Amino acid sequence: MEVFWYIIISVVFAIFFILDGYNFGTGIIHLFLAKTEKDKEVITKSAGLFWDFNEVWLVAGGGLLFMAFPTFYASVFSGFYLPLIIVLWLIIFRAIGLEFRSQFNFQMWKDIWDKSFGVSSLLLALFFGIALGNVVRGVNLGAIENGVAAFEGHYFFLPLWDSSFSPLSETPGVIDWFTIIIGLISVVTLEIHGANWIILKTNSSINNQLKSVIFKLTILLFALTVISLLVWQIVNPNSLDNFIDKPYLIVFPVIYFTGLFGLFFIKKIKKDIHCFILSTLVILGGITSSLASLFPVILPSTHNQNESLTIYNTAAPEYGLSVALGWGIIGLILVAVYLITQNKLMSGKVDKMDYGH
């Protein structure tokens, strides 16, 4: 049952980053490239009509995580307390930026909420990438310092950064040079994804320009990917062991690089949906590759004094997981119906759809 719920929760979070990821990317494009009022309005629509539904997957993932792996949930929500509060405020400001923008027809009012939407989207993409970097790097479980534990073995607390700014520190912070690299990969990936979404859903005047932007960002993403793989061997020399022991897991990096190399041909691809699928593959492959490299660990320990958190030592009792199965299936069916219905209602370009008036 632990493996089943691990897969379900991983799928739910992957769907969240694919769906809400294009909203983050849309906000970044809006911040840097949207110049005319018409473009700003239509790009805002392409995110605003979908953001509230997309965040249902975040709520669902958090609820399932609490149900299936309560020890992991408690550890992560206490240990990452500071960045989680920052993310909460960023989600709030992104939402009100979208919802408040069109309430008054004053340019200064619109400019304020445009910046709120754009900056919040950029920082959310960065912080979610940094979060993945922390999971890949590991944390100081038990808050061991000079051989002395401050907490029980499955708890920790990280400052935003420590003085060394190094992932190899005895007491690493949330932000260090390694997690920043993963954060930048997240920003670039989601910016590409958001650009593909804008091309797919709008007739914005910058759509042709966006294809050139995507091509340049793909070159940058490839470079960052190579750098991250090299430094990952410094941070965790055993990071590729799972792929050697279980060769079938290589399918996940293949998904990532299929999407990445496909994006190099962005200017030649005729159908916009194919471009969007390629950036979706990059997100899906990146998340699944990271999880596959750790499995069954879900939060590594940076020392040997306390064991890493796994799907087995953090799971709820078997009875609870079994009872939740029926209700979980019902809930996922309802969310899937919601997804299909929304996509039917919001199919096609959004330029002429009503939003915020």
Side-chain angles (χ1 to χ4, degrees), residues 92-103:
I92 291 170
F93 273 97
R94 185 190 64 146
I96 61 176
L98 288 167
E99 299 297 328
F100 282 12
R101 181 185 195 278
S102 299
Q103 298 306 311

Side-chain angles (χ1 to χ4, degrees), residues 144-219:
I144 305 293
E145 192 167 1
N146 299 321
V148 180
F151 309 124
E152 294 179 50
H154 53 274
Y155 286 114
F156 66 97
F157 181 80
L158 298 186
L160 283 179
W161 59 80
D162 80 335
S163 57
S164 69
F165 207 67
S166 170
L168 305 177
S169 168
E170 184 183 20
T171 57
V174 172
I175 303 172
D176 57 46
W177 57 258
F178 174 71
T179 59
I180 284 290
I181 292 172
I182 306 302
L184 291 175
I185 289 175
S186 174
V187 170
V188 174
T189 300
L190 296 183
E191 187 174 0
I192 291 170
H193 197 49
N196 278 328
W197 178 252
I198 292 169
I199 293 169
L200 178 66
K201 298 298 290 183
T202 78
N203 293 309
S204 165
S205 68
I206 63 171
N207 281 4
N208 289 331
Q209 178 189 353
L210 287 179
K211 291 211 170 188
S212 297
V213 171
I214 291 170
F215 179 77
K216 293 174 184 176
L217 289 174
T218 302
I219 296 172

Side-chain angles (χ1 to χ4, degrees), residues 13-297:
F13 276 114
I15 292 173
F16 164 72
F17 285 113
I18 290 168
L19 296 182
D20 217 25
Y22 65 66
N23 282 337
F24 300 156
T26 298
I28 298 170
I29 295 295
H30 187 282
L31 179 65
F32 293 113
L33 296 176
K35 303 301 181 183
T36 68
E37 175 58 27
K38 185 176 181 181
D39 283 343
K40 289 179 180 179
E41 184 175 339
V42 75
I43 291 172
T44 301
K45 274 187 192 179
S46 71
L49 289 168
F50 299 89
W51 75 265
D52 49 352
F53 164 75
N54 293 339
E55 288 191 357
V56 168
W57 294 94
L58 180 61
V59 176
L64 290 173
L65 199 63
F66 175 70
M67 179 279 299
F69 304 106
T71 303
F72 174 73
Y73 180 93
S75 176
V76 166
F77 271 70
S78 60
F80 292 132
Y81 181 80
L82 290 176
L84 282 171
I85 291 298
I86 292 172
V87 166
L88 175 62
W89 278 104
L90 290 172
I91 288 174
I92 291 170
F93 273 97
R94 185 190 64 146
I96 61 176
L98 288 167
E99 299 297 328
F100 282 12
R101 181 185 195 278
S102 299
Q103 298 306 311
F104 295 99
N105 193 25
F106 298 114
Q107 194 58 48
M108 186 174 71
W109 174 268
K110 290 181 178 181
D111 289 344
I112 289 171
W113 298 118
D114 281 345
K115 288 294 185 291
S116 174
F117 169 46
V119 173
S120 297
S121 297
L122 174 63
L123 293 178
L124 279 168
L126 180 65
F127 266 89
F128 277 122
I130 287 172
L132 180 60
N134 276 265
V135 171
V136 168
R137 179 203 64 198
V139 299
N140 183 4
L141 288 172
I144 305 293
E145 192 167 1
N146 299 321
V148 180
F151 309 124
E152 294 179 50
H154 53 274
Y155 286 114
F156 66 97
F157 181 80
L158 298 186
L160 283 179
W161 59 80
D162 80 335
S163 57
S164 69
F165 207 67
S166 170
L168 305 177
S169 168
E170 184 183 20
T171 57
V174 172
I175 303 172
D176 57 46
W177 57 258
F178 174 71
T179 59
I180 284 290
I181 292 172
I182 306 302
L184 291 175
I185 289 175
S186 174
V187 170
V188 174
T189 300
L190 296 183
E191 187 174 0
I192 291 170
H193 197 49
N196 278 328
W197 178 252
I198 292 169
I199 293 169
L200 178 66
K201 298 298 290 183
T202 78
N203 293 309
S204 165
S205 68
I206 63 171
N207 281 4
N208 289 331
Q209 178 189 353
L210 287 179
K211 291 211 170 188
S212 297
V213 171
I214 291 170
F215 179 77
K216 293 174 184 176
L217 289 174
T218 302
I219 296 172
L220 177 59
L221 179 58
F222 178 76
L224 287 171
T225 299
V226 172
I227 292 169
S228 69
L229 290 174
L230 293 175
V231 298
W232 195 7
Q233 301 309 301
I234 299 172
V235 175
N236 181 5
N238 302 317
S239 57
L240 301 180
D241 287 359
N242 265 5
F243 297 107
I244 297 170
D245 297 338
K246 306 176 182 70
Y248 57 85
L249 294 178
I250 202 71
V251 67
F252 300 119
V254 168
I255 291 172
Y256 177 84
F257 284 105
T258 298
L260 181 60
F261 289 130
L263 287 169
F264 280 109
F265 302 94
I266 187 77
K267 295 179 182 180
K268 296 182 180 180
I269 298 173
K270 301 299 182 184
K271 291 190 176 182
D272 297 337
I273 186 64
H274 293 165
C275 302
F276 184 74
I277 289 171
L278 288 173
S279 55
T280 297
L281 291 178
V282 172
I283 297 172
L284 181 62
I287 293 172
T288 53
S289 296
S290 301
L291 296 178
S293 71
L294 298 174
F295 184 84
V297 172

